[in-house]
Amino acid sequence: MLPACPLPKFLVFLLLLLWSGVPAARAQKLALSVDAASSSSPPESGYLRLGTRTAPNGHTLDVNSQYLLRDEQPWLPVMGEFHFARFPRARWEEQLLKMKAGGVQIVATYVFWIFHEEEQGAFDFRGDRDLRAFVELCAKHGLYVVVRIGPWNHAELRNGGFPDWLVQQLPASALRSNDPAYLAAVRTYWQQLRQQTRGLLWKEGGPIIGVQLENEYNRNKAGQGAVHIVELKKLALAQGFDVPLYTVTGWQGARYPEQEVLPVFGGYPDEPWGRGPTKMPPVEVYNFRFRSREGGNLGIQGGETAVRNTPEQLAHYPFLGAEFGGGVPVMYRRRPLLTPHDVAAMLPVQLGSGVNLYGYYMFHGGRNPQGKRTWLQESTRTNSYNDLPRIGYDFQAPLGETGAESPLFARLKLVHYFLNDFGSLLAPMTPHAPTVQPPSASDLRTPRWAVRTQGRSGFLFFNNYVRNYAMPVQEGVQFTVQLPGEVLTFPQQPVTVPAGSYFIWPFNLDLGGARLKYATAQLFTRLTVNQEPYYVFFAQPGIPAEMVFDAATVQSVVTPSGAVAANNGQFRVTGVVPSTGLTLTVQPRTGPAVRVLVLSEQQALQTWKASLHGTEHLVLTPQEIYFDHDQIQLQSEGKPEFQFGIFPALPHAPKAIGGALKPGTPDGVFFTYSAAVPTRTIKVETHLLKPAGTVPPIRFGGPSKGAMEPSDTTYQQAAQWRLALTGAKLTGLDDIILRVTYAGDAIRLSAGDKLLTDDFYNGAPWRISYRNLVADGLRKPLQLSILPLRQDAPIYLEEGRRPSFPATGQVSELRQVEATARYRLAVDTTH
């Protein structure tokens, strides 16, 4: 109700607009402004006391208060977590090459104590536990490594990765402290880790550039807190772990010694560790951060109440990320089902907030090995906070438990390539908050955006996406950026930003000598062809692509489509139609011509970049892809046909290894080829062995006081089926994917008495890699079991994912099992 006192007419009109539900962007069109005119302070150097920064070949890695440096130049890398011991060793190399193809530059990996010394004194680094072999593969393919040596890791693992014998021998107060007996055990373990990594540190010419000490640590009793991290660092150095970067997780009032380590941060699109069965309110990770680096939904298991680190304290450290959710696990109480946008929309938000290392947890899912004495997953049965599947750790990651590329993988690459090629420009840029900001993560109307600038150059970051919530169409969007000596307003005509859109736009960017005043398309990548620079952009769906160049730096702009208008000292290009063809040729005042491609978003999702026999190329394909030196490796699930285009042309016609490759009609600048491989059919028959019994109500308890996974006795009520596969031969295939559509509480796949993998139901079909099963030494027939889900189960499932229930009030239904061939094609580009 409006107040009785008189108000100016314009204010009444504004209040009526807001009250009536009209999207706030209409009333705030003129408020989309930001003051980025003030110059930022230069980065502080010399504050941090880290390790040896120079490699034997003279390359250097360093860090200041704002960003990382590689060979004295700003560096903004992408880091992805991959737990080698949770995936078959025979597949490590191809998976690392996939990560590299997706733009990941640093591989982070936990080294789990319980995996390597489950029995005291009996160290195991064989097979899937071979740390040295994994790091050597990273080195082979030019990937850096951060080893997270703990000794406590969490990672949804039993005892946070501590072996049972350690937990049984020492009181809880001694663990994760400077207790002499605890430190002696850590020393013995770390001596083994150092033996495994000898010759592989940065200072030794190897790929290991960083070590994370501890994890989620804010304890502060006697012998704990910062003094413990100091002791762990001394212990690591004493074993020879001398590396350029030492990190600790920095959230929830983390305790660490100033100057000695780098705090790293993160955030997740959902909270499967939450207690309640209802939808979460809007998550903070979709709202720009200008006052805190801590994700609002990150916690510390077994942590204490602690004062958060202040901006003044953190001013000495760059804003680095190590745990931005590449997905989330499915836990018993809460079972989120993510979409690719749930993860990808976090990127512009975090980068626009000032993040200068984008680290994912997880980038690659996997499986827990079976312990010699126990299951190794986190469980309320061992007084842990959460219940996880015993084996499955897919994490809904870009590369999941099967090793296949999810749709998320290509979408993240859209930003990874940008960071790979332009991160050195972004890293020293200062973030600036707009004049009007959402007061909280729950405000879905106020436009969410930020800029980062250095001088007059910068990038604009916009997000109109929040997981599980409908966002308004933002109409009349136009930005005004106050820069040193300039006020830049763009685009020239206000645009409508669709609901769910998010993007990064450049302004005052040097494109090979031509000054791009702004573009309403996202910068993707660049390459050099015949000594000419090519810049590749992609357009956001529903937003017209417009590019404006400064005529003081440009002689001419030519486009085969759209329109070029020269006035007011600018060349303005409008009506750009995204395509695979050349969009613009820009001739700077000096230097070679600059070529510009503007792809559609869908085309960009299918475009990959690689160096083939020493030359940069773009490869366009709807198939999954990675590169192995000069070979293009293509994978296709369910379809034996392959298509790809390549730009620029190869010096020799490519050849398919073991097949025929046919040249096709050019697709824009791309030279196209196709091939087909023999079709393979794998049949699956299911035979019901035992119908489901009746399960009791779900129990509550554990540290969370929430719903707990049923007992082993309850699992005896699961329905069971035998699976019979015909034609399941992996020869000539990348893999065979078993796709199980079902309804129930939990599902398990076994061979005889051996559990192979498992999962908790979240409404999505369950995908299983047959190749992983073979790697496990598959000997006996496969058997599926589905535990009934009760209608009154107090668990969270996404809207529309709760199954229909019969009159019994419980469901255990196997609807379909399909076996789909994953075909592969290797293309040799050297002949």
Side-chain angles (χ1 to χ4, degrees):
M1 182 175 180
L2 293 177
C5 59
L7 288 173
K9 289 183 178 180
F10 81 91
L11 185 53
V12 172
F13 177 70
L14 177 59
L15 289 171
L16 284 170
L17 280 176
L18 295 175
W19 175 79
S20 65
V22 175
R26 293 185 182 178
Q28 296 179 350
K29 181 177 69 173
L30 298 179
L32 293 183
S33 62
V34 61
D35 185 353
S38 60
S39 59
S40 59
S41 301
E44 175 187 21
S45 299
Y47 177 81
L48 297 165
R49 296 190 289 260
L50 303 176
T52 300
R53 59 191 291 273
T54 305
N57 57 12
H59 291 295
T60 61
L61 283 176
D62 207 348
V63 61
N64 59 36
S65 63
Q66 295 179 12
Y67 48 84
L68 301 170
L69 298 100
R70 182 173 59 176
D71 293 334
E72 311 299 333
Q73 298 301 310
W75 185 39
L76 204 171
V78 178
M79 181 169 71
E81 188 94 9
F82 180 10
H83 298 158
F84 60 94
R86 280 173 156 162
F87 204 75
R89 174 177 176 164
R91 304 187 65 186
W92 287 349
E93 187 164 22
E94 69 179 36
Q95 301 305 118
L96 289 169
L97 288 170
K98 288 180 182 180
M99 292 177 71
K100 185 174 182 179
V104 173
Q105 298 157 293
I106 304 172
V107 176
T109 191
Y110 271 132
V111 188
F112 299 117
W113 195 346
I114 195 171
F115 283 11
H116 299 291
E117 195 188 3
E118 186 176 355
E119 297 176 338
Q120 188 172 9
F123 290 96
D124 188 355
F125 291 95
R126 300 167 299 169
D128 296 350
R129 293 171 167 84
D130 194 335
L131 169 61
R132 184 174 190 84
F134 181 77
V135 176
E136 286 176 340
L137 282 174
C138 292
K140 176 181 176 182
H141 296 293
L143 293 164
Y144 301 105
V145 178
V146 170
V147 286
R148 305 175 79 180
I149 62 175
W152 191 87
N153 295 127
H154 193 192
E156 290 73 56
L157 209 61
R158 182 183 181 93
N159 309 324
F162 280 159
D164 279 11
W165 60 262
L166 181 73
V167 174
Q168 293 162 2
Q169 286 182 14
L170 298 178
S173 60
L175 300 173
R176 305 177 74 182
S177 78
N178 285 347
D179 179 87
Y182 173 69
L183 291 178
V186 173
R187 182 180 298 107
T188 300
Y189 171 50
W190 281 4
Q191 285 172 348
Q192 293 290 322
L193 297 189
R194 184 65 186 108
Q195 287 296 322
Q196 292 293 313
T197 57
R198 196 161 301 282
L200 296 175
L201 304 186
W202 175 255
K203 73 171 188 178
E204 299 167 329
I208 298 177
I209 63 171
V211 164
Q212 181 181 299
L213 303 170
E214 251 290 341
N215 187 62
E216 298 177 4
Y217 189 75
N218 72 352
R219 302 184 176 198
N220 204 33
K221 294 183 175 63
Q224 298 178 341
V227 296
H228 179 52
I229 301 299
V230 166
E231 200 62 35
L232 287 180
K233 185 180 176 185
K234 289 179 180 177
L235 189 57
L237 283 167
Q239 304 311 314
F241 281 109
D242 178 6
V243 291
L245 308 173
Y246 297 92
T247 68
V248 293
T249 48
W251 50 85
Q252 199 171 321
R255 311 282 186 171
Y256 54 87
E258 296 189 10
Q259 298 184 263
E260 298 292 334
V261 293
L262 295 162
V264 293
F265 299 90
Y268 288 84
D270 207 297
E271 298 177 21
W273 51 86
R275 294 174 60 184
T278 58
K279 184 173 77 169
M280 292 179 58
V283 182
E284 169 271 343
V285 295
Y286 302 108
N287 204 15
F288 290 86
R289 311 177 188 184
F290 301 109
R291 290 171 291 275
S292 171
R293 297 181 181 183
E294 298 198 30
N297 60 359
L298 273 175
I300 288 180
Q301 188 171 116
E304 302 174 353
T305 300
V307 177
R308 304 298 173 106
N309 299 301
T310 66
E312 290 73 24
Q313 289 174 303
L314 293 175
H316 298 292
Y317 306 93
F319 189 176
L320 306 180
E323 287 202 19
F324 290 115
V328 292
V330 173
M331 297 184 179
Y332 188 76
R333 294 188 303 273
R334 293 185 59 85
R335 309 176 186 189
L337 181 59
L338 302 186
T339 71
H341 296 295
D342 291 342
V343 174
M346 293 168 55
L347 277 156
V349 174
Q350 308 309 324
L351 292 170
S353 300
V355 164
N356 269 339
L357 164 65
Y358 205 95
Y360 291 94
Y361 188 98
M362 298 286 297
F363 196 84
H364 199 303
R367 306 171 301 158
N368 291 321
Q370 184 171 339
K372 297 176 182 177
R373 299 188 176 187
T374 64
W375 298 105
L376 300 179
Q377 88 284 9
E378 180 181 354
S379 170
T380 55
R381 301 181 194 187
T382 55
N383 204 37
S384 290
Y385 198 80
N386 304 304
D387 284 307
L388 275 294
R390 290 181 172 179
I391 302 289
Y393 196 69
D394 178 79
F395 218 88
Q396 304 179 62
L399 296 168
E401 181 181 342
T402 67
E405 299 170 14
S406 76
L408 171 62
F409 182 78
R411 188 160 291 279
L412 297 180
K413 167 210 62 179
L414 299 180
V415 177
H416 296 175
Y417 281 16
F418 162 70
L419 294 177
N420 290 174
D421 287 337
F422 304 99
S424 60
L425 296 179
L426 179 60
M429 290 182 174
T430 302
H432 301 278
T435 304
V436 178
Q437 305 170 43
S440 71
S442 296
D443 175 8
L444 305 181
R445 291 178 172 272
T446 305
R448 301 168 176 225
W449 67 290
V451 299
R452 288 180 65 172
T453 64
Q454 185 177 41
R456 294 187 179 185
S457 297
F459 295 92
L460 183 145
F461 303 83
F462 193 96
N463 177 43
N464 198 30
Y465 181 91
V466 174
R467 168 174 153 75
N468 278 341
Y469 287 87
M471 299 294 286
V473 173
Q474 298 285 3
E475 299 181 3
V477 172
Q478 189 179 47
F479 305 98
T480 298
V481 183
Q482 179 72 49
L483 297 164
E486 179 185 14
V487 177
L488 181 63
T489 299
F490 65 98
Q492 188 175 77
Q493 297 297 323
V495 296
T496 296
V497 177
S501 185
Y502 48 92
F503 51 79
I504 304 170
W505 288 348
F507 57 88
N508 282 335
L509 179 69
D510 180 13
L511 296 187
R515 174 69 62 179
L516 176 67
K517 293 301 297 181
Y518 67 84
T520 59
Q522 186 159 324
L523 189 55
F524 179 34
T525 189
R526 67 181 172 194
L527 69 162
T528 301
V529 180
N530 297 326
Q531 300 183 334
E532 287 186 342
Y534 278 69
Y535 290 85
V536 186
F537 294 74
F538 67 91
Q540 281 71 50
I543 302 178
E546 174 184 335
M547 308 184 96
V548 175
F549 293 88
D550 183 356
T553 64
V554 171
Q555 295 184 46
S556 62
V557 177
V558 178
T559 176
S561 65
V564 179
N567 52 55
N568 298 324
Q570 296 179 341
F571 289 97
R572 180 169 176 254
V573 184
T574 57
V576 173
V577 179
S579 73
T580 56
L582 184 65
T583 303
L584 300 176
T585 296
V586 182
Q587 181 58 59
R589 296 290 177 182
T590 58
V594 174
R595 315 292 184 179
V596 177
L597 276 69
V598 179
L599 305 172
S600 69
E601 183 182 74
Q602 185 59 36
Q603 290 163 347
L605 287 168
Q606 297 182 357
T607 301
W608 305 82
K609 183 180 176 182
S611 177
L612 301 172
H613 41 84
T615 302
E616 294 176 315
H617 287 80
L618 299 179
V619 179
L620 177 69
T621 179
Q623 274 80 50
E624 298 176 33
I625 189 171
Y626 66 94
F627 305 92
D628 188 355
H629 296 94
D630 292 330
Q631 283 190 5
I632 302 172
Q633 299 284 343
L634 297 169
Q635 298 172 342
S636 174
E637 190 164 312
K639 296 181 179 180
E641 298 85 21
F642 295 85
Q643 305 87 33
F644 71 93
I646 192 162
F647 171 77
L650 295 163
H652 306 284
K655 293 185 177 180
I657 298 174
L661 202 60
K662 298 179 181 179
T665 303
D667 183 358
V669 300
F670 292 90
F671 296 84
T672 66
Y673 302 87
S674 63
V677 297
T679 301
R680 294 278 294 276
T681 301
I682 304 98
K683 296 182 179 180
V684 185
E685 294 182 356
T686 61
H687 303 275
L688 180 66
L689 300 176
K690 182 175 79 72
T694 301
V695 296
I698 290 175
R699 299 171 300 131
F700 288 80
S704 71
K705 310 301 181 188
M708 299 172 63
E709 181 188 8
S711 65
D712 288 341
T713 301
T714 301
Y715 269 97
Q716 294 175 9
Q717 304 304 314
Q720 296 179 3
W721 291 264
R722 184 175 69 251
L723 302 185
L725 275 65
T726 304
K729 300 293 184 181
L730 287 170
T731 305
L733 294 179
D734 170 66
D735 203 348
I736 297 169
I737 298 297
L738 301 180
R739 188 174 184 269
V740 183
T741 306
Y742 75 105
D745 191 3
I747 189 166
R748 291 177 173 178
L749 180 70
S750 305
D753 295 331
K754 183 178 181 180
L755 177 63
L756 299 174
T757 188
D758 60 336
D759 200 22
F760 296 144
Y761 173 81
N762 69 350
W766 188 36
R767 291 168 52 84
I768 305 162
S769 163
Y770 188 73
R771 189 173 168 189
N772 283 355
L773 304 183
V774 171
D776 289 339
L778 187 62
R779 297 286 185 273
K780 296 182 179 180
L782 295 173
Q783 182 175 298
L784 270 177
S785 62
I786 300 176
L787 183 70
L789 176 67
R790 289 178 60 100
Q791 192 169 5
D792 61 358
I795 61 174
Y796 172 72
L797 290 168
E798 300 282 346
E799 184 177 349
R801 295 293 177 171
R802 188 171 289 275
S804 299
F805 289 86
T808 59
Q810 64 175 34
V811 61
S812 179
E813 180 181 345
L814 181 61
R815 295 170 179 166
Q816 188 178 35
V817 182
E818 302 168 278
T820 303
R822 281 181 55 84
Y823 300 97
R824 67 186 182 195
L825 181 73
V827 178
D828 185 358
T829 66
T830 60
H831 298 91

